[in-house]
Amino acid sequence: MIDEPHDGPALMAQSGSEPPARHEPATGLSVKVDKRLGNFSLRASLTIPARGVTALFGASGSGKTSLLRLIAGLDTPDSGVIRIGEQTLVDTQRSVFIPPHKRRLGVVFQEARLFPHYRVRGNLTYGMRPSARSRFDTIVALLGIKSLLNRFPATLSGGEARRVAIGRALLTEPRLLLMDEPLTGLDGPRKQELLRYIARLARDIDIPIVYVSHDPDELIAIADHLVLLDQGRLLAHGRLEELLMRFDLTEYLGGFDAASVITASIVEHDHHYALSQLRLEDGQRLTIPIVDKPLGTTLRLRIPVRDVALALSTSEQVSYRNQLNASVEQIGLVAGNKTSIELRLRIGEQVLRARLTRKSFDELGVKEGMPIVALIRSVAFDTR
């Protein structure tokens, strides 16, 4: 049996100077690149925030993985600049190119790529920086892999192997974590399990994550920011909930099902009726099927536009338990849809999307700026 290392050269990153202490503020990433790959051309100019999860989304062939490979240093742009914080990783005009192993970026691929002859502990410690030793137990606990430490990769499920790969990347103390469709190929239960771990990871670590996926459900669950690509073009980038509200992007957001994302905190559980009461930022209440979370927990709620109805006033004579006072912020049309009117509603500091038939729109006399009541079925909420 091969002895398993506890320290050694980094697998995905890390040579050069010692990393800063973990309390140092995270630094954002700026990218302005052009790259031609056969008949495909990628052109992108954007800034990735220093906190949270930034998702790269688009149809197959839109350029998501190509952009991630440029950031990682696995490919070189034909022209452009890539910077993380104050450090220039690439500047084609000045012939600057920092090789991948010196960029201090953690990369998690679709395949776990673990060393088959090392146990899990050996895989985790192979690329671990000496300064990360004190964080080993924390990361192992965060990813729920303590029970796996003495096992070999061949005995792991797909989800377990990818959690180990994520842990190995984090123990290199990267400044940025890149994840290329890490849930691809997993079955339903394993996919949901790993997604929960990644969502927890996104809350608990203090480095930005760039996450590539073609699955809107994954992104709704974990993404704070969205980069929308189409055939190598950057269509838009910004906060996820803001882009979901843009009517002009609806045709490019295939699969998101025109949903809104809002946050609320748990204030009460009604075990008799199996319901939980939530409070929005403006103090209004929502009722959803009971969730197994303690009081005070903040939930992220996905509300499909199809589950939002509108009324001119509140009423006790309807089955909708959730009736939120809102105002009409914007009225618009979606390209290719001649039968419906799209509405953007303001509820305190948050926004909610709704859709009406043209007939209902005219009968209600909806106008921008007017007060309105958003009716939402309690079963419509999808907590993530």
Side-chain angles (χ1 to χ4, degrees), residues 3-20:
D3 290 335
E4 297 173 5
H6 293 279
D7 297 300
L11 177 64
M12 301 180 205
Q14 325 319 333
S15 67
S17 60
E18 193 72 5

Side-chain angles (χ1 to χ4, degrees), residues 71-236:
I71 295 169
L74 302 175
D75 289 326
T76 307
D78 297 329
S79 64
V81 178
I82 301 175
R83 294 190 180 92
I84 183 166
E86 299 301 317
Q87 184 187 19
T88 298
L89 303 180
V90 177
D91 188 332
T92 54
Q93 284 193 342
R94 295 194 293 135
S95 299
V96 174
F97 181 81
I98 304 298
H101 66 281
K102 292 187 177 181
R103 295 193 178 193
R104 287 187 46 217
L105 308 179
V107 184
V108 178
F109 298 98
Q110 293 180 23
E111 306 83 21
R113 301 188 183 186
L114 302 178
F115 296 121
H117 51 292
Y118 291 159
R119 290 187 177 90
V120 166
R121 183 184 295 274
N123 272 280
L124 291 171
T125 58
Y126 183 83
M128 185 173 69
R129 297 179 68 88
S131 55
R133 288 174 180 163
S134 62
R135 297 181 56 207
F136 181 87
D137 290 342
T138 300
I139 289 174
V140 165
L142 179 65
L143 293 168
I145 54 178
K146 184 176 181 179
S147 64
L148 309 178
L149 292 177
N150 290 321
R151 290 169 57 180
F152 285 95
T155 70
L156 304 178
S157 70
E160 290 170 339
R162 292 185 204 185
R163 274 188 276 152
V164 174
I166 294 170
R168 181 175 62 182
L170 290 175
L171 287 168
T172 64
E173 295 202 325
R175 294 179 295 180
L176 178 73
L177 184 62
L178 305 173
M179 308 185 79
D180 186 11
E181 303 214 41
L183 305 186
T184 297
L186 298 181
D187 61 26
R190 300 292 79 75
K191 185 173 183 177
Q192 289 304 314
E193 176 188 64
L194 184 54
L195 188 60
R196 286 194 295 270
Y197 279 108
I198 294 174
R200 182 181 175 190
L201 183 74
R203 292 193 304 268
D204 292 354
I205 66 172
D206 59 358
I207 60 172
I209 298 173
V210 177
Y211 190 98
V212 173
S213 179
H214 64 278
D215 187 335
D217 287 340
E218 292 179 30
L219 305 187
I220 287 286
I222 64 171
D224 303 292
H225 310 274
L226 186 67
V227 176
L228 186 59
L229 297 164
D230 180 60
Q231 299 181 22
R233 297 179 300 133
L234 177 66
L235 295 178

Side-chain angles (χ1 to χ4, degrees), residues 3-45:
D3 290 335
E4 297 173 5
H6 293 279
D7 297 300
L11 177 64
M12 301 180 205
Q14 325 319 333
S15 67
S17 60
E18 193 72 5
R22 194 167 185 268
H23 62 265
E24 177 181 308
T27 50
L29 181 77
S30 61
V31 178
K32 186 176 183 179
V33 292
D34 287 277
K35 178 69 176 180
R36 187 169 185 84
L37 299 163
N39 294 325
F40 175 79
S41 293
L42 172 67
R43 173 170 291 182
S45 179

